[in-house]
Amino acid sequence: MTAPVFVVERLRAATGGTVTLDGAEGRHAVSVRRLRVGEEIVLTDGAGTGAYGTVAAVEGKDRLEVAVREVRTEPEPGPRITVVQALPKGDRGELAVETMTETGVDAIVPWAASRCITQWKGERGLKALAKWRATAREAGKQSRRLRFPEVAEAASTKQVAGLLAAADFAAVLHEEGAEPLATADLPSTGGIVLVVGPEGGVSPEELAAFAEAGARPYRLGRSVLRTSTAGTAATALLLGRTGRWA
């Protein structure tokens, strides 16, 4: 079994040195996971750097010292995969973020599509965004990632169109897409931006705006997936086809 991962906001580690884990992460390591001296552990800043080592000392209920054996830094992956996720109902948004993170997506952009039932406004929107970001962080730890996905501010259709225009490959998942995503000509570097619409579908006006930005409609397969699962399935397909899962 691989070592558990914990987050250190500012990871300044060197091979042969020690790092202190305290606060909420230290409490989880000591009081919940009950790590003891000599057990393997990984510390990460979530931005690509990881310190691998063993627990050297445990203090109280929320603090431990880690003896660092090795420090690794993961390069930025390529091509970078961004999923624009329309806002689902209820807690399906957190489900989408969790599974896309575990699969390996690099960035998630919440999108307030015209047919979304859920709308992020005011304090409710801030709380929902915070939940998505916390979910990405926890899922990144669970899946042993050193680089967690970025969860952006909620975007308008105009802003999404701008992201699509700047991408090296831009796609909208659509059940009526003429070409399957499985046969699309994908870049080996740069950025891929994929739009996942709401349960009610992407409106004709949104499709037109995205087409003008250079995005084409693609289908995943014969079945129609929920908005909360389509992004995960598409991310897995793209990771496999671009060689990032090789």
Side-chain angles (χ1 to χ4, degrees):
M1 184 175 179
T2 55
V5 173
F6 296 91
V7 178
V8 177
E9 299 299 338
R10 293 179 179 81
L11 182 57
R12 297 173 182 172
T15 301
T18 60
V19 176
T20 300
L21 182 66
D22 54 14
E25 290 288 276
R27 183 163 52 255
H28 187 252
V30 175
S31 299
V32 179
R33 293 299 301 266
R34 299 185 181 278
L35 294 185
R36 297 295 179 257
V37 172
E39 292 193 78
E40 296 288 323
I41 187 172
V42 179
L43 306 179
T44 183
D45 58 3
T49 298
Y52 294 73
T54 56
V55 178
V58 177
E59 302 174 18
K61 297 181 179 180
D62 62 357
R63 181 185 178 94
L64 52 77
E65 298 293 326
V66 178
V68 179
R69 179 179 65 254
E70 178 186 6
V71 178
R72 301 178 197 169
T73 300
E74 290 185 352
E76 287 273 4
R80 177 180 169 86
I81 299 173
T82 297
V83 173
V84 176
Q85 174 66 59
L87 306 179
K89 296 180 291 185
D91 61 359
R92 289 189 176 275
E94 287 114 86
L95 173 64
V97 171
E98 179 180 60
T99 54
M100 284 193 287
T101 298
E102 292 174 355
T103 303
V105 77
D106 302 301
I108 300 168
V109 179
W111 171 40
S114 62
R115 292 178 176 174
C116 285
I117 295 175
T118 298
Q119 295 292 328
W120 286 3
K121 295 181 179 179
E123 189 66 25
R124 178 182 179 182
L126 294 175
K127 288 181 178 179
L129 178 59
K131 281 186 178 181
W132 280 35
R133 287 175 170 169
T135 299
R137 174 186 170 112
E138 292 306 309
K141 291 166 54 180
Q142 174 66 33
S143 54
R144 311 296 197 262
R145 291 182 61 166
L146 296 185
R147 191 180 295 277
F148 300 165
E150 300 171 14
V151 179
E153 301 279 342
S156 64
T157 296
K158 182 178 180 179
Q159 290 170 322
V160 172
L163 289 174
L164 294 169
D168 295 282
F169 176 82
V172 181
L173 288 186
H174 199 281
E175 59 189 277
E176 296 180 2
E179 184 179 351
L181 190 62
T183 61
D185 187 15
L186 302 175
S188 57
T189 59
I192 293 174
V193 178
L194 181 71
V195 176
V196 177
E199 300 288 3
V202 182
S203 72
E205 295 77 14
E206 290 164 340
L207 279 175
F210 296 159
E212 187 175 349
R216 296 176 58 187
Y218 291 86
R219 67 180 188 275
L220 269 179
R222 294 182 179 180
S223 60
V224 177
L225 301 182
R226 286 182 178 272
T227 184
S228 53
T229 55
T232 300
T235 296
L237 175 63
L238 294 172
L239 288 167
R241 292 203 56 222
T242 57
R244 284 181 52 180
W245 268 4

